[in-house]
Amino acid sequence: MKNIVVLISGSGTNLQALIDAQLQDRLGCRISAVISNRPGVKGLQRAEQAGIPALVLDHTGFDSREAFDAALMTLIDDHDPALVVLAGFMRILTADFTRHYLGRMLNIHPSLLPKYPGLHTHQRALDAGDREHGATIHFVTPELDDGPNVIQAIVPVIAGDDAASLAQRVQVQEHIIYPQAVAWFTSGRLQMQDNHCLLDGEPLPPSGQVVDAR
């Protein structure tokens, strides 16, 4: 069974979705380690409770982003992962790091990319008057939130929504689509070629596969 390594920085709700999928034999791989750049976060407790090695590499102990990423790369590679999964990992990664894992690193972003890269996505969608919002799983490339999309979940923006209520509905869908994308990859169905996603050998549209939860 293939190994994956999950990187976190906080509470780890998407990590929990992956753990649950593993326990239900829906993930098709083994989470061999969870690594956080912040000590004491709830995601580490989730890993420990599931019997998964929970490791901390505190970025504040490094003099540069490059030094931290080099140490993180070494720690990840000790676990021989087929895939690196960013699950709320709040670090901008260096180009050397992303190139090392090119085509075998996934990220989740709380918007319908290419809309709203970066932070505060839910409020930005509300401020723009959008009628739909959602989440995207994409391959990681050196450009921030710009790798090819694997799968998107669309949720409605409801009258009276604030950023918190919208985020809550988006998160429900995140917990569905992330295990799906990981299972596609570890089963050999999903791959990235020439900055495009292929599923079962067929190119996906720019949006990736779409799950409509409206």
Side-chain angles (χ1 to χ4, degrees):
M1 182 172 288
K2 294 176 180 177
N3 292 334
I4 68 170
V5 169
V6 182
L7 306 186
I8 63 169
S9 296
S11 64
T13 62
N14 275 300
L15 166 64
Q16 188 64 57
L18 295 168
I19 291 171
D20 292 345
Q22 177 180 271
L23 291 173
Q24 297 162 9
D25 294 325
R26 294 188 290 109
L27 202 59
C29 59
R30 182 175 71 97
I31 303 172
S32 58
V34 172
I35 303 172
S36 174
N37 66 304
R38 295 175 56 207
V41 297
K42 187 174 181 180
L44 293 168
Q45 298 173 22
R46 295 179 190 273
E48 290 169 353
Q49 289 168 0
I52 299 167
L55 311 175
V56 176
L57 189 68
D58 191 338
H59 67 276
T60 64
F62 293 83
D63 293 333
S64 68
R65 193 177 299 276
E66 289 76 14
F68 172 77
D69 279 9
L72 180 58
M73 195 183 306
T74 298
L75 186 58
I76 291 169
D77 288 350
D78 284 345
H79 296 274
D80 191 28
L83 180 68
V84 177
V85 178
L86 308 184
F89 187 64
M90 302 303 291
R91 295 280 299 171
I92 295 176
L93 298 166
T94 60
D96 284 347
F97 185 94
T98 56
R99 280 193 290 265
H100 182 70
Y101 297 108
L102 194 65
R104 54 192 184 105
M105 182 161 57
L106 294 176
N107 183 46
I108 187 163
H109 185 74
S111 80
L112 299 174
L113 290 172
K115 272 192 169 184
Y116 312 127
L119 301 175
H120 311 301
T121 59
H122 309 303
Q123 189 60 55
R124 290 159 68 190
L126 292 171
D127 292 345
D130 290 353
R131 294 184 177 182
E132 62 184 32
H133 188 47
T136 304
I137 311 297
H138 65 95
F139 280 101
V140 178
T141 60
E143 297 76 24
L144 180 65
D145 297 331
D146 194 44
N149 292 343
V150 175
I151 185 171
Q152 290 187 327
I154 301 173
V155 302
V157 177
I158 297 173
D161 261 336
D162 59 17
S165 63
L166 183 54
Q168 187 174 36
R169 284 203 312 285
V170 169
Q171 193 174 72
V172 170
Q173 298 303 315
E174 291 178 5
H175 298 166
I176 296 170
I177 64 174
Y178 218 169
Q180 179 65 81
V182 170
W184 283 343
F185 185 91
T186 56
S187 67
R189 296 182 60 194
L190 173 68
Q191 55 185 307
M192 187 179 94
Q193 287 186 3
D194 300 322
N195 209 42
H196 291 87
C197 287
L198 301 180
L199 183 63
D200 297 329
E202 296 296 325
L204 288 171
S207 62
Q209 188 166 106
V210 174
V211 175
D212 194 335
R214 287 173 293 183

